[in-house]
């Protein structure tokens, strides 16, 4: 199958519940090992090595961890921008300058405290790293359902390296998708970087 598959919202809800349950069962040791492996793979990827600006995010809970990745990107001389969740679930962006540049925000998130760069700042990134719960082999990403990253990805120029960070077993043959869902060009897992197109 290719492209978005028609679905009812119930299929997405069921898939999200299943994936979140599986994530909650992961040990902190597994989460930490996955974070290190994903960071190693991404920092070795030619798209990331060439990038001047990387749009990323601060992981929460049992998401594949990004804390070390963010600092390693900064240490490698990359400009890192992180999302700031707006009341309408859209994403503004601000620069990351290390852990002390983050503050607690709504929904248990950590966000950068610097000056907002605007909704379109994501379009200036050479690499866009996004969260997700799963991805299909064609690059259709299943997120948490707020639509924030689908809106952000709609602003990213075609050809930009867009990559979802996942565990190996979250790359699936298919995921429920709708026409507004935006595909990504790759997935980074502990097993490596999988490019879709």
């Amino acid at each position: 199958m290719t492209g978005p598959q028609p679905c009812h919202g119930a299929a997405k809800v069921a898939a999200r519940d299943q994936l979140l349950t599986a994530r909650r069962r992961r040990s902190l040791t597994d989460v930490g090992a996955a974070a290190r492996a994903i960071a190693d793979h991404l920092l070795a990827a030619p798209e990331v090595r060439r990038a001047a600006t990387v749009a990323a995010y601060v992981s929460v809970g049992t998401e594949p961890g990004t804390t070390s990745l963010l600092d390693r990107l900064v240490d490698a001389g990359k400009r890192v921008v992180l999302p700031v969740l707006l009341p309408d679930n859209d994403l503004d962006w601000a620069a990351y300058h290390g852990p002390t540049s983050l503050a607690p925000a709504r929904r248990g998130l950590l966000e950068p405290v610097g000056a907002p760069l605007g909704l379109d700042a994501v379009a200036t990134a050479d690499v866009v790293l996004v969260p997700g719960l799963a991805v299909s082999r064609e690059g259709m990403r299943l997120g948490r359902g707020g639509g924030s990253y689908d809106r952000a990805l709609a602003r990213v120029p075609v050809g930009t390296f867009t990559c979802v960070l996942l565990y190996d077993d979250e790359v699936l043959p298919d995921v429920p998708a709708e026409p507004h869902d935006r595909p990504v060009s790759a997935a980074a897992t502990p097993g490596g970087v999988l490019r879709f197109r």
Side-chain angles (χ1 to χ4, degrees):
M1 288 188 222
T2 59
Q5 300 303 308
C7 77
H8 298 288
K12 279 189 171 179
V13 170
R16 285 186 186 109
D17 285 348
Q18 216 172 15
L19 291 157
L20 285 167
T21 297
R23 276 197 178 172
R24 282 191 289 272
R25 292 183 178 138
R26 291 186 188 278
S27 72
L28 291 178
T29 303
D30 289 345
V31 173
R36 288 186 294 279
I38 289 169
D40 289 345
H41 293 310
L42 282 170
L43 288 159
E47 297 90 346
V48 175
R49 284 200 321 264
R50 287 191 304 262
T53 299
V54 176
Y57 64 97
V58 180
S59 58
V60 295
T62 54
E63 285 183 330
T66 61
T67 305
S68 170
L69 172 64
L70 296 176
D71 292 333
R72 289 175 67 186
L73 287 166
V74 170
D75 291 346
K78 312 298 181 192
R79 177 178 178 252
V80 177
V81 297
L82 300 177
V84 176
L85 185 65
L86 299 174
D88 67 354
N89 281 345
D90 211 339
L91 299 176
D92 200 335
W93 299 85
Y96 174 71
H97 300 290
T100 59
S101 69
L102 299 174
R106 296 181 305 127
R107 299 189 187 172
L109 301 174
L110 286 174
E111 294 179 343
V113 294
L117 301 172
L119 302 179
D120 291 328
V122 69
T124 68
D126 305 297
V127 167
V128 180
L129 305 177
V130 299
L133 294 174
V135 71
S136 75
R137 297 249 172 223
E138 285 82 33
M140 290 309 298
R141 173 188 152 274
L142 179 67
R144 289 186 176 254
S148 302
Y149 278 93
D150 287 317
R151 286 193 255 179
L153 288 169
R155 297 181 181 107
V156 175
V158 173
T160 301
F161 184 71
T162 55
C163 183
V164 61
L165 279 55
L166 298 169
Y167 297 101
D168 292 309
D169 59 357
E170 294 171 340
V171 178
L172 305 173
D174 210 6
V175 299
E178 297 174 276
H180 67 268
D181 292 332
R182 299 289 173 157
V184 291
S185 54
T189 73
V193 176
L194 176 64
R195 290 166 180 82
F196 301 117
R197 52 190 159 149

